[in-house]
């Protein structure tokens, strides 16, 4: 009789529990899952909870769970594992993360986001993760609602919350998810807990410049692409300098899947594949990407321009073994097709570069003269024009006139941007015998780079000073060159030459003997010692020095021996 009473009591409790439980609980709990994250050594990092908010695998959880992770998997209500495919957004301040799970089935159970926030006093429910058939849940009430980022809510709940319930979904009476559970810090079990608005977590996203976001950087799992193609392209650019080639290729593959009609994806993948290519099969994939880029392109000329540049640069670096029909001529054909569609100056400049590489200097000059007359004309294009003229055998004066035009593009005082052209003009001035003007350009270069020069600069400026007969400046510059590079014997020999020029023969001999201490077989030192000794009327000693220079193989000493030692 007693057992019968107990059985009837248990049945009545179950009936009462079933009656009081919201009807949506059994279905909704299937959207809740467990998460396991792993570190860079593939060791377990953290475990926690999350839940699906879309049938295609978008899910929410807490950021702390993912910080430092290199991969993660979820375990659904059936005990099935699924990999976390990409991070879609994160906020470390509110400890939330949005991510995409790589699902194998067509759809997953997902919760519906509440359209409005529950008010203070509303009864709410927390759904824990479970693989069991138990229908348990935790009930509580909204104690307070605060604003987050103006449009979202942060909830204080009168509800007991255990550690294993963190990041579980909080539901309205209607069965819609409104929050992500967050416990009160410092309490294992508390009567008060908190929840961040699920819509706030959904608002987290990857933006064009998200690779500079430290919260996202601290998660080693692949990031999803931004929602627009324009932002995704900027994101790709940022990712290219921060990811390994393998990881960057994964992002490129995602971009192509998301934007299959964007030529940029295929062009970037072609460039990435070309960089890593080492056989015919991989080169074939490059060509396929280039062809697909042209096929889907809305602006054919833009893709033809990119194809021309890729082929041109490849041939430049693989001239000894080009791929199939890849050649300067093929690159030229591509760029001329682009020009036929729209003769943009940048296309014409590329045509000039290809013609220059083909040694078709007349054609290259014609192209660059067009560029110089366009809005693309610059110091750089004028400089290339000067080089083309130089290759054509133009007079030094004609080349100098073009370089003058380069420098004229800059205002005084010159900045570092003008520095390369000042250096080039100084050397051009030396070729036409204008050493004093060359010195002025060397000085201007020195100021433009704020004195950040090397030993070679001092040697070149010394050459100008020597020809300008400014001997003390020549001596000072050589001293600086030797200070920066004391083992370069050319500088010591030049210093000796200048000293001989100004009649300081003893000093020249001393400098040359120091050079011989560095290299006893430095033949030029003996020849110059002999010249200094001739100046000092030490003919016999000079002839011994000349003989030693000849013994060491100096080809320039024979004339001195013929003149002074017969």
């Amino acid at each position: 009789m007693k057992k019968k009473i107990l059985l009837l009591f248990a049945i009545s409790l179950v009936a009462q529990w079933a009656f009081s439980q919201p009807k949506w609980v059994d279905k909704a709990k299937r959207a809740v899952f467990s998460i396991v994250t792993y570190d860079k050594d593939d060791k377990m990092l953290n475990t926690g909870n999350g839940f699906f908010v879309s049938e295609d695998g978008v899910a929410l959880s807490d950021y702390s769970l993912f910080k430092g992770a290199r991969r993660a998997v979820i375990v659904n209500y059936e005990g099935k594992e699924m990999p976390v495919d990409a991070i879609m957004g994160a906020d470390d301040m509110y400890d939330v993360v949005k991510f995409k799970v790589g699902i194998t089935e067509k759809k997953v159970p997902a919760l519906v986001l509440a359209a409005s926030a529950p008010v203070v006093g509303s009864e709410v429910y927390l759904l824990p993760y479970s693989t069991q058939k138990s229908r348990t849940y935790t009930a509580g009430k909204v104690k307070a609602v605060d604003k987050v980022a103006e449009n979202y809510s942060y909830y204080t709940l009168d509800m007991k919350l255990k550690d294993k319930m963190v990041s579980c979904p909080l539901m309205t009476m209607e069965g819609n998810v409104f929050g992500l559970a967050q416990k009160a810090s410092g309490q294992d079990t508390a009567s008060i807990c908190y929840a961040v608005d699920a819509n706030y977590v959904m608002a987290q996203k990857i933006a064009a410049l998200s690779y500079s976001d430290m919260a996202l950087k601290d998660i080693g799992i692949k990031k999803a692409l931004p929602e627009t193609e324009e932002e995704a392209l900027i994101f790709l650019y940022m990712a290219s300098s921060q990811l390994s080639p393998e990881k960057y290729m994964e992002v490129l593959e995602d971009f192509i899947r998301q934007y299959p009609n964007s030529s940029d994806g295929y062009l970037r993948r072609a460039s990435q594949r070309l960089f890593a290519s080492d056989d015919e099969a991989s080169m074939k994939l490059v060509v396929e990407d280039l062809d697909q880029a042209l096929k889907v392109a809305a602006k054919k000329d833009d893709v033809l321009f990119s194809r021309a540049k890729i082929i041109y640069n490849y041939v430049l670096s693989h001239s000894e073994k080009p791929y199939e029909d890849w050649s300067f001529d093929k690159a030229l054909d591509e760029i001329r097709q682009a020009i036929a569609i729209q003769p943009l100056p940048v296309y014409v400049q590329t045509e000039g570069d290809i013609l220059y590489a083909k040694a078709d200097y007349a054609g290259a000059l014609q192209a660059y003269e067009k560029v110089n007359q366009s809005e693309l004309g610059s110091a750089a294009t004028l400089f290339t024009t000067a080089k083309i003229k130089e290759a054509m055998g133009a007079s030094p004066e004609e080349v100098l006139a073009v370089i003058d035009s380069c420098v004229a593009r800059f205002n005084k005082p010159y900045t570092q941007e003008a520095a390369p052209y000042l250096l080039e003009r100084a050397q051009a001035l030396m070729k036409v015998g204008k050493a004093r003007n060359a010195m002025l350009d060397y000085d201007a270069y020195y100021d433009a780079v704020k004195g950040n020069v090397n030993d070679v600069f001092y040697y070149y400026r010394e050459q100008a000073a020597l020809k300008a007969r400014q001997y003390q400046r020549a001596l000072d510059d050589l001293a600086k060159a030797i200070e920066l590079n004391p083992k370069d014997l050319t500088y010591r020999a030049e210093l000796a030459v200048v000293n001989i020029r100004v009649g300081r023969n003893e000093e020249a001999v001393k400098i040359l003997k120091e050079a011989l201490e560095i290299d006893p077989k430095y033949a030029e030192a003996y020849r110059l010692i002999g010249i200094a000794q001739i100046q000092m009327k030490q003919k016999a000693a000079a002839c011994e020095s000349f003989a030693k220079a000849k013994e060491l193989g100096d080809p320039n000493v024979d004339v001195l021996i013929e003149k002074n030692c017969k």
Side-chain angles (χ1 to χ4, degrees), residues 471-472 474-476 495-512 528 532-533 535-536:
Y471 299 119
Q472 189 57 53
L475 291 169
D476 292 343
L495 182 60
V497 168
V498 178
N499 274 285
I500 292 170
R501 182 77 64 88
V502 298
R504 298 171 60 181
N505 296 296
E506 294 86 351
E507 181 65 18
V509 172
K510 176 186 173 184
I511 292 165
L512 292 164
L528 293 173
Q533 288 168 334
Q535 298 293 326
M536 293 186 291

Side-chain angles (χ1 to χ4, degrees), residues 379 406-407 409-411 413-424 445 448:
C406 292
V407 178
R409 293 266 178 165
F410 302 96
N411 297 319
Y414 295 121
T415 62
Q416 192 158 356
E417 188 181 3
Y421 305 108
L422 290 167
L423 197 61
E424 192 70 26
Y445 173 86

Side-chain angles (χ1 to χ4, degrees), residues 21 110 113 160-161 184 213 243 266 292 336-337 381 484 488-489 520 550:
Q21 175 183 264
L113 292 164
K160 291 184 179 181
L161 185 73
D213 186 321
L243 296 179
Y266 300 106
Q292 185 64 17
R336 283 178 171 167
Q337 288 184 58
T381 62
L484 292 171
D488 192 307
L489 299 179
K550 183 175 179 64

Side-chain angles (χ1 to χ4, degrees), residues 287-345:
V287 173
E288 287 176 359
D289 272 346
L290 292 179
D291 289 345
Q292 185 64 17
L294 187 59
K295 180 179 178 181
V296 302
K299 292 186 63 179
K300 302 292 185 185
D301 57 302
D302 193 29
V303 174
L304 286 163
F305 165 64
S306 296
R307 285 162 56 105
K309 293 220 28 151
I310 288 172
I311 295 169
Y312 163 65
N313 288 321
Y314 179 86
V315 176
L316 276 179
S317 58
H318 295 78
S319 56
E320 73 292 344
K321 190 179 179 181
Y323 172 72
E324 291 189 356
D325 65 338
W326 281 27
S327 63
F328 289 135
D329 286 332
K330 182 174 178 60
L332 191 60
D333 178 62
E334 298 274 338
I335 198 61
R336 283 178 171 167
Q337 288 184 58
I339 292 170
I341 297 171
Q342 188 173 192
L344 296 178

Side-chain angles (χ1 to χ4, degrees), residues 73 97 123 186 209 260 276 279 295 306 364 373 403 419 433 450 480:
V73 296
V97 65
E123 188 168 353
L209 302 178
D279 57 25
K295 180 179 178 181
S306 296
Q373 293 169 11
I403 299 176
K450 301 186 185 306
K480 286 295 294 183

Side-chain angles (χ1 to χ4, degrees), residues 200-495:
Y200 177 75
V201 191
M202 283 297 291
Q204 304 307 307
K205 62 181 181 179
I206 302 294
L209 302 178
S210 284
Y211 262 101
S212 60
D213 186 321
M214 289 307 299
L216 288 168
K217 278 187 174 182
D218 286 340
I219 301 176
I221 298 169
K222 182 180 68 175
K223 311 304 181 293
L225 290 169
E227 295 173 357
T228 69
E229 183 178 344
E230 183 179 359
E231 284 199 328
L233 285 170
I234 299 172
F235 183 82
L236 280 181
Y237 174 76
M238 299 294 291
S240 66
S241 62
Q242 299 189 45
L243 296 179
S244 67
E246 295 77 17
K247 292 292 184 184
Y248 179 57
M249 183 60 82
E250 289 180 14
V251 178
L252 280 173
E253 299 287 359
D254 287 345
F255 180 88
I256 290 171
R257 277 192 294 271
Q258 191 164 325
Y259 302 104
N261 293 319
S262 171
S263 59
D264 291 279
Y266 300 106
L267 289 172
R268 291 179 189 229
R269 189 169 67 178
S271 295
Q272 191 69 11
R273 283 173 164 171
L274 185 61
F275 178 77
S277 175
D278 57 4
D279 57 25
E280 293 280 321
S282 56
M283 284 300 296
K284 184 178 179 182
L285 293 175
V286 173
V287 173
E288 287 176 359
D289 272 346
L290 292 179
D291 289 345
Q292 185 64 17
L294 187 59
K295 180 179 178 181
V296 302
K299 292 186 63 179
K300 302 292 185 185
D301 57 302
D302 193 29
V303 174
L304 286 163
F305 165 64
S306 296
R307 285 162 56 105
K309 293 220 28 151
I310 288 172
I311 295 169
Y312 163 65
N313 288 321
Y314 179 86
V315 176
L316 276 179
S317 58
H318 295 78
S319 56
E320 73 292 344
K321 190 179 179 181
Y323 172 72
E324 291 189 356
D325 65 338
W326 281 27
S327 63
F328 289 135
D329 286 332
K330 182 174 178 60
L332 191 60
D333 178 62
E334 298 274 338
I335 198 61
R336 283 178 171 167
Q337 288 184 58
I339 292 170
I341 297 171
Q342 188 173 192
L344 296 178
V346 68
Y347 299 169
V348 177
Q349 182 179 0
T350 300
E351 180 188 28
D353 291 337
I354 298 169
L355 290 168
Y356 188 22
K358 281 172 53 68
D360 183 350
Y361 301 126
L365 181 60
Q366 185 179 12
Y368 263 89
E369 284 178 341
K370 290 179 184 177
V371 173
N372 290 331
Q373 293 169 11
S374 74
E375 71 277 6
L376 196 63
S378 65
T381 62
L382 285 165
F383 176 74
T384 302
T385 303
K387 288 299 178 183
I388 293 171
K389 284 181 172 286
E390 194 172 51
M392 294 176 72
S395 68
E397 290 79 8
E398 187 177 350
V399 173
L400 176 60
V402 181
I403 299 176
D404 277 336
S405 299
C406 292
V407 178
R409 293 266 178 165
F410 302 96
N411 297 319
K412 295 181 181 180
Y414 295 121
T415 62
Q416 192 158 356
E417 188 181 3
Y421 305 108
L422 290 167
L423 197 61
E424 192 70 26
R425 188 170 70 174
Q427 294 168 359
L429 286 164
M430 288 292 289
K431 290 179 181 178
V432 298
K434 295 183 177 181
R436 287 185 178 273
N437 289 341
M439 280 187 60
L440 293 175
D441 271 356
Y442 280 123
D443 290 343
Y445 173 86
Y446 181 92
D447 292 337
V449 298
K450 301 186 185 306
N452 185 23
V453 296
N454 58 17
D455 54 298
V456 177
F457 167 80
Y458 285 111
Y459 177 70
Y460 282 144
R461 191 169 70 174
E462 175 273 332
Q463 295 283 292
L466 183 60
K467 288 191 177 181
R469 299 185 179 181
Q470 295 193 19
Y471 299 119
Q472 189 57 53
R473 287 204 66 181
L475 291 169
D476 292 343
D477 277 349
L478 284 170
K480 286 295 294 183
I482 292 169
E483 178 185 327
L484 292 171
N485 190 355
K487 292 190 176 181
D488 192 307
L489 299 179
T490 301
Y491 300 156
R492 294 179 184 272
E494 183 72 9
L495 182 60

